[in-house]
Amino acid sequence: MADWKRGLRRVLYPAYEARMMRRLPAEQLPKHVGVMLDGNRRWARAVGRDTAHGHRAGAANIEPLLGWCDEVGIEVVTLWLLSTDNLNRPAAELAPLLGIIEEAVDALVAQRRWRLHPVGALDLLPTSTSERLKAAAEATREVDGMLVNIAVGYGGRREIADAVRSLLHEHAERGTTLEELAGIIDVEHIADHLYTKGQPDPDLVIRTSGEQRLGGFLLWQSAKSEFYFCEAYWPDFRRVDFLRAIRAYAQRERRFGS
């Protein structure tokens, strides 16, 4: 992009964003937003850098996003940083990526602005990573701020399987027979054992990079969510892109399947 265009955007976009903020209807804003931080590797290729550089650029955009969420009063954010499928990537890529995630989580802890909650199959992660995530949750447990779910080693199918497994263990300890359980089990029983138990389901799910699919993100919780797909790769996702997603959500008439 030509320098003069960049300069023009720097001048015009703050005013445009401020106008968008003023026009957002407070009563129609989402309370829980899920974000699929997609496109780090493609962004790196586009700028002629290695994959790790793309992941670092993506990690650097997390804190700004959370600040934008705070600005509009969002209460819960779920960030999908690493899927269970991603764990099958070559070790030469996966090890640096896990290190970048650990550093990003530590940086969020240091802010003392948000409560961090890891969601995912932590048992599939290296011990160092799972321990860092657990420590982040403990360190921010008393923080009076937005709840941020950090989805690492996360897969929607795995979450549902884990929820069912947890439910079965719970009732086995109570002495409930399978026949008795089959007679009483309902949707809420499953929901009570999800990684996000006790939280509202996401109102809005944003995916960057132009991909228009869920890929296993919050499969159970997003049954009635609104979706917004953004063409920008995650490292290029800007405040104006976020505000456009929020505006699009506010303009929709939610029918909740009716």
Side-chain angles (χ1 to χ4, degrees), residues 130-186:
S130 63
E131 291 302 323
R132 292 278 272 279
L133 291 170
K134 293 174 185 176
E138 181 60 28
T140 60
R141 185 164 54 89
E142 302 299 330
V143 173
D144 183 19
M146 186 170 61
L147 175 62
V148 180
N149 294 316
I150 305 294
V152 179
Y154 176 87
R157 290 179 175 178
R158 171 67 186 243
E159 178 180 24
I160 295 169
D162 282 349
V164 173
R165 186 178 299 109
S166 175
L167 175 65
L168 291 173
H169 282 310
E170 176 186 295
H171 281 272
E173 291 174 358
R174 294 181 185 177
T176 309
T177 67
L178 286 178
E179 290 77 10
E180 291 170 335
L181 181 57
I184 63 172
I185 192 170
D186 60 16

Side-chain angles (χ1 to χ4, degrees), residues 110 199 216 239:
Q199 301 179 19
R239 182 171 181 254

Side-chain angles (χ1 to χ4, degrees), residues 18-243:
R19 185 176 66 181
M20 291 177 69
M21 281 287 293
R22 289 195 301 271
R23 294 183 176 181
L24 289 176
E27 70 282 359
Q28 293 173 241
L29 300 182
K31 297 300 183 183
H32 181 175
V33 174
V35 187
M36 305 172 71
L37 285 58
D38 194 23
N40 290 344
R41 295 194 295 177
R42 280 169 284 168
W43 179 87
R45 286 196 295 269
V47 299
R49 301 295 296 272
D50 62 16
T51 298
H53 180 78
H55 291 314
R56 290 192 187 93
N61 208 23
I62 292 173
E63 188 177 324
L65 169 70
L66 297 181
W68 307 332
C69 291
D70 269 339
E71 288 178 346
V72 299
I74 291 169
E75 298 173 1
V76 183
V77 179
T78 299
L79 305 175
W80 199 11
L81 304 185
L82 187 77
S83 72
T84 49
D85 290 338
N86 294 156
L87 295 173
N88 296 320
R89 290 181 179 177
E93 178 185 351
L94 183 59
L97 173 54
L98 289 170
I100 291 167
I101 289 173
E102 291 174 8
E103 292 170 4
V105 170
D106 287 347
L108 296 180
V109 171
Q111 288 293 313
R112 306 295 300 172
R113 294 174 61 186
W114 306 294
R115 286 182 293 131
L116 305 184
H117 175 63
V119 296
L122 299 187
D123 57 303
L124 298 182
L125 301 175
T127 302
S128 61
T129 303
S130 63
E131 291 302 323
R132 292 278 272 279
L133 291 170
K134 293 174 185 176
E138 181 60 28
T140 60
R141 185 164 54 89
E142 302 299 330
V143 173
D144 183 19
M146 186 170 61
L147 175 62
V148 180
N149 294 316
I150 305 294
V152 179
Y154 176 87
R157 290 179 175 178
R158 171 67 186 243
E159 178 180 24
I160 295 169
D162 282 349
V164 173
R165 186 178 299 109
S166 175
L167 175 65
L168 291 173
H169 282 310
E170 176 186 295
H171 281 272
E173 291 174 358
R174 294 181 185 177
T176 309
T177 67
L178 286 178
E179 290 77 10
E180 291 170 335
L181 181 57
I184 63 172
I185 192 170
D186 60 16
V187 169
E188 294 306 318
H189 282 91
I190 303 294
D192 287 343
H193 291 268
L194 295 171
Y195 302 146
T196 57
K197 61 185 176 183
Q199 301 179 19
D201 289 338
D203 303 296
L204 172 65
V205 174
I206 301 170
R207 181 167 189 164
T208 60
S209 86
E211 298 285 351
Q212 297 190 23
R213 53 190 172 82
L214 269 179
F217 184 51
L218 299 176
L219 289 178
W220 182 283
Q221 299 91 329
S222 64
K224 297 180 180 179
S225 301
E226 299 292 326
F227 297 91
Y228 184 87
F229 301 103
C230 178
E231 291 296 320
Y233 294 139
W234 168 245
D236 282 336
F237 188 76
R238 305 159 298 170
R239 182 171 181 254
V240 68
D241 298 312
F242 172 75
L243 291 176

